[in-house]
Amino acid sequence: MFMYMNGKILKENEASISPFDHGFLYGLGLFETFRIYDGHPFLLDDHIDRLNQGLKEMNILYVFKRHMVEQILRELVVKNGLANARIRLNVSAGEAPVGLHTAPYERPNILLFMQEISVPAGLQEKPGTILKTRRNTPETAQRLKSHHYLNNITAKRELKNNVTAEGIFLTESGFLAEGIVSNLFWVKQGVLFTPSIATGILNGITRQFLLKLAVRKGIDVKEGMFLKKDLAAADEVFCTNSIQEIYSLSQIDGIGVYPGRSGKITNLLYDAYKNYRTSLYSRCEI
């Protein structure tokens, strides 16, 4: 596969960064993952906005614009011969002397690579499990999509060989948080519930889009601090992320059993989601 790095299109095995890059040494880096459907980068503006906010927080002097990213994507789509792909846009702080660096990073490493991925055939279904590993607290006022992923990896290891399941984090205080790589939702008596970002979760792009989509569909939405008992009483449960879209949970160990891919509200939202995949740049457009 071909990828982009710092203004050049090159083969993935030709890419390299300095061992003094502070994204490597200190985890000072951010990334966004999203999909292109038939060549269209779904919700690209929202991903760029979040990435730019994170870069400002990390004091990395770089600002993305839609046209910049689309130009790279157009070149890579042609080089790789793909119309549907998973995209990772990554910014690493760049090279600096060893030590904690407080000055702005002026020469970050910009990488974009893609992997082939098919369009889902329909709503997917998984089992869930409540993790013993607790969700760590964000390192800044809100969680960034940064290189700091040990908490997620530790949680994934907890699942061992259960590769199809989604693990669900609780906070240290026992509140429902999010999945290992997803945001969590459930339905009770026609109302859509999801943990508040005050729990320290990542404010996922698909999460934000779905909340707006639900309101547009006339569904009441409640964000807040919830416990396992709230999930146990749910009529439907599903998770979201930008790659797996919306996927239902059929059961959660020790909590409850749910209709999975037969969930009425889950299907309503999934069908609406599909209608926007090849056209929207931002949730603000609906």
Side-chain angles (χ1 to χ4, degrees):
M1 284 288 180
F2 289 90
M3 63 172 288
Y4 170 92
M5 182 173 180
N6 297 337
K8 297 179 180 179
I9 303 294
L10 67 165
K11 293 182 178 179
E12 289 180 347
N13 61 5
E14 296 174 348
S16 64
I17 63 172
S18 166
F20 294 99
D21 186 299
H22 278 207
F24 166 68
L25 290 178
Y26 301 108
L28 285 170
L30 298 161
F31 69 98
E32 291 290 330
T33 53
F34 57 93
R35 293 181 66 139
I36 56 172
Y37 297 90
D38 196 21
H40 176 75
F42 184 49
L43 299 180
L44 177 59
D45 288 354
D46 294 346
H47 285 282
I48 288 174
D49 287 346
R50 184 173 65 176
L51 181 56
N52 284 337
Q53 290 169 18
L55 292 172
K56 186 176 181 180
E57 183 82 36
M58 283 196 175
N59 211 11
I60 297 173
L61 302 185
Y62 198 91
V63 177
F64 285 93
K65 300 289 186 182
R66 182 204 292 180
H67 73 273
M68 298 161 51
V69 179
E70 282 201 302
Q71 178 60 38
I72 297 168
L73 290 173
R74 280 193 291 268
E75 293 183 41
L76 284 179
V77 161
V78 172
K79 290 289 273 186
N80 289 317
L82 301 177
N84 300 290
R86 167 182 175 157
I87 308 298
R88 173 160 170 152
L89 173 57
N90 201 101
V91 183
S92 194
E95 189 173 348
V98 174
L100 299 184
H101 188 72
T102 59
Y105 290 94
E106 299 181 351
R107 298 180 62 190
N109 284 308
I110 313 299
L111 303 94
L112 188 150
F113 40 95
M114 60 175 49
Q115 297 170 306
E116 186 173 13
I117 189 171
S118 59
V119 177
L123 180 66
Q124 302 299 302
E125 180 180 289
K126 294 184 179 185
T129 185
I130 299 294
L131 296 161
K132 294 178 181 178
T133 303
R134 295 299 176 105
R135 192 54 163 138
N136 62 353
T137 55
E139 294 170 307
T140 56
Q142 63 180 345
R143 189 176 298 277
L144 303 178
K145 197 169 179 66
S146 74
H147 289 183
H148 295 265
Y149 253 61
L150 181 58
N151 189 222
N152 307 69
I153 292 169
T154 301
K156 193 69 174 178
R157 288 172 180 165
E158 184 182 321
L159 297 181
K160 297 180 180 177
N161 295 323
N162 195 2
V163 294
T164 62
E166 176 62 303
I168 297 170
F169 282 114
L170 302 178
T171 69
E172 286 293 339
S173 300
F175 292 107
L176 293 168
E178 60 188 333
I180 297 175
V181 292
S182 66
N183 287 120
L184 175 67
F185 292 84
W186 64 95
V187 179
K188 179 64 177 177
Q189 297 179 344
V191 178
L192 183 64
F193 295 85
T194 192
S196 166
I197 59 171
T199 60
I201 63 173
L202 180 72
N203 193 9
I205 297 302
T206 305
R207 175 187 186 273
Q208 296 176 59
F209 172 64
L210 200 74
L211 289 172
K212 188 160 186 179
L213 184 61
V215 171
R216 184 180 177 87
K217 290 294 179 180
I219 300 170
D220 290 335
V221 174
K222 291 188 178 181
E223 302 177 64
M225 311 294 284
F226 302 108
L227 300 169
K228 287 192 291 183
K229 66 180 182 180
D230 298 302
L231 201 55
D235 298 324
E236 305 173 40
V237 182
F238 63 89
C239 294
T240 63
N241 69 28
S242 294
I243 303 304
Q244 298 177 76
E245 306 181 335
I246 301 170
Y247 57 93
S248 59
L249 295 188
S250 57
Q251 59 89 17
I252 300 174
D253 292 343
I255 297 293
V257 177
Y258 312 103
R261 63 169 61 93
S262 299
K264 180 180 178 181
I265 300 298
T266 308
N267 273 281
L268 185 152
L269 291 169
Y270 180 69
D271 288 343
Y273 183 99
K274 290 190 298 182
N275 291 333
Y276 291 110
R277 292 188 300 205
T278 58
S279 60
L280 284 195
Y281 282 98
S282 172
R283 66 186 183 279
C284 298
E285 295 173 9
I286 65 171

